[in-house]
Each structure stands twice: as structure tokens, then as C-alpha cells.
Amino acid sequence: MNLTILGCSGSVPGPATPASGYLLEAEGYHLVLDLGHGAFGELQRYVEPADVDAIVISHLHADHMIDLTAYIVALRYGGAGFRQRSRRIPLVGPAGTRDRLEAAYDPLARKLGLHELFGFSTPSDGMQLGPFTLSFTPTQHPVPTTAVRIAHGDTALVYSADTGPSPALVELARGADAFLCEASFAPEDEYVPNLHLTGIQAGEHAAQAEVGKLIITHVPPWASAEVQASEAAKAYSGPIEIARPGAVFPI
Ligand SMILES: [Zn+2]
Ligand SMILES: [Zn+2]
């Protein structure tokens, strides 16, 4: 499978990258993982929005889902390649995703609903989306959030979503070929429990899980991805990459 970074800025979009958004492709199947501020624009570089096969949203913070509001406009009113084809796109997210999305899109137009566009469901272990098998674990974050392990054949990618330190995340990530892990807190930041990871903590999770590769993501524009990666290297001796929009990681 190929992982393409659509956006990787933490918490808010930055000058060089949209907020969180990722595209996974295998066997011609396109899975979108999170779609924060600006990520829907980047998505269009790689696949026609109407051709996306499934969407997985880790949690309902705006920097991970707000561009679904743009997706609605495109599917309803867009031209070729944007307007919905006959099927609904499966959309996996926390309980309340539909309500959150309707409120963000247009509270006054709720009666229209979104059922004609998306097939809503909540995460469940062993879920099959095309060639991918998914498993999940809740993370340490102020709202319901799930990290996800996405397996294709013998290979696996694990995405931390947003989280504070989490032994369950280490278990989910165990032995994964690639670990896409947030590193939001810079060394000089005030540390807040159960919210995000520091660079060192991202490295510790990667080391404990013995992953094949760590990809640092969700670094906010007020922090440095290079610093976060060098912090991670204090705890993890394997290969470390930095997520950047347009980067493609074969897994
Ligand atoms: Zn976030
Ligand atoms: Zn969050």
C-alpha cells in the first residue's frame, strides 16, 4: 500500500501544509484517513473525490474532519469527478459523526440529512474496507478518539491519531511496518496530560512497539518538525521520517 500525506499540520493548518489528512491506496482502492482544514484540496491532486472508496475519521476535532463540509458541497453540486456517483461513500467515525457534520455543514439545512452521501458506521475491530483490514484502540484525548491499524496482506500501518501517552497504542502498533505518530508538544511547551505526545514520547512509543519506521506528524506551525524528529531519535533508533504534504510512503 501507499501512504500519501495530504496534510500534516497539528491542531491548525500552517503556511506549508493543511491540517491532518492522509490517503491510503492499495489495489486501486482509495481510503481517506482524516480530512482537516485544507486537506480536501490536496486530495484532488491524487484522486477524483467521487472515486474515494471509504473515509475513516479518527475524532471530531475540526483539524481532523472539518473539510468533510467541503466534500458535501462537491458531492452534491460538483461537476464531473466531484459529484456523487450512485453509491454512498462509507464513512467510519466516532458516534455522533453525522450530527457533528450536519451541524458544521449547515445547521439550518439539517433536514436534508447526509444519508444520501455517506454510509455512516462506527469503528469495529476486524472491519474490512476493500483490501484493508482495520483494528482500533481508543486514545488519551479529550474527546472520543481512535488510533487505527490498517493491514494490507502482510504489511501494516498504524496511525496514532491525537493522543497522550498510551500503552494501548503501543500494543496496537506492535511490529507495524510504519507508525504515523503525532508529536505535537515541543520541548519548550507546557505539558498537558492526556492530550498530545512530545517528540521523545513519540519515539518511546515507536521503540516499545518495535515498529519498522516512525513517521512524525501533527506538528503545529509554532513548533519544528525537525526538532520533534530529533527528539524522537533520543528514544527510537530506527528510521524516522517527517510527514510533508505530497510525500508518498510505500508500506
Ligand atoms: Zn489534531
Ligand atoms: Zn484532537
Side-chain angles (χ1 to χ4, degrees):
M1 62 179 141
N2 279 326
L3 165 68
T4 301
I5 310 296
L6 306 176
C8 50
S9 187
S11 302
V12 299
T17 169
S20 295
Y22 309 96
L23 176 64
L24 272 170
E25 186 276 329
E27 302 176 31
Y29 189 95
H30 293 91
L31 172 67
V32 169
L33 187 54
D34 281 351
L35 205 67
H37 313 90
F40 183 67
E42 289 292 314
L43 176 69
Q44 295 161 41
R45 296 180 187 273
Y46 308 102
V47 60
E48 294 192 337
D51 283 344
V52 165
D53 294 288
I55 302 169
V56 174
I57 297 297
S58 65
H59 66 302
L60 299 179
H61 278 157
D63 62 313
H64 296 258
M65 55 67 68
I66 201 66
D67 262 23
L68 288 173
T69 58
Y71 220 136
I72 294 167
V73 176
L75 290 171
R76 278 203 177 133
Y77 310 113
F82 288 78
R83 189 178 291 247
Q84 182 188 31
R85 307 215 194 283
S86 54
R87 84 227 148 82
R88 294 183 298 176
I89 300 177
L91 200 173
V92 182
T97 295
R98 183 170 62 87
D99 194 50
R100 172 80 167 89
L101 191 48
E102 286 178 355
Y105 172 65
D106 184 355
L108 299 177
R110 277 190 174 191
K111 62 181 183 300
L112 273 175
L114 298 171
H115 276 304
E116 87 280 13
L117 299 179
F118 301 116
F120 292 93
S121 64
T122 52
S124 68
D125 276 344
M127 175 177 271
Q128 198 77 33
L129 291 173
F132 300 117
T133 305
L134 283 70
S135 47
F136 303 86
T137 195
T139 73
Q140 302 295 318
H141 203 52
V143 300
T145 304
T146 49
V148 59
R149 183 181 182 108
I150 301 174
H152 175 245
D154 294 336
T155 60
L157 164 76
V158 171
Y159 170 49
S160 68
D162 286 3
T163 187
S166 165
L169 175 59
V170 171
E171 285 315 306
L172 187 76
R174 181 143 327 270
D177 299 273
F179 182 33
L180 179 64
C181 187
E182 74 123 288
S184 307
F185 282 139
E188 67 275 15
D189 285 342
E190 180 189 354
Y191 186 74
V192 180
N194 299 322
L195 185 61
H196 289 301
L197 298 174
T198 65
I200 290 179
Q201 288 170 338
E204 288 170 348
H205 283 63
Q208 289 166 19
E210 300 182 313
V211 299
K213 175 195 294 187
L214 171 63
I215 306 170
I216 294 287
T217 193
H218 203 276
V219 178
W222 48 86
S224 156
E226 287 74 19
V227 169
Q228 298 302 81
S230 65
E231 289 285 296
K234 294 176 181 174
Y236 174 67
S237 59
I240 299 177
E241 309 245 22
I242 295 173
R244 303 189 192 285
V248 179
F249 298 97
I251 295 164

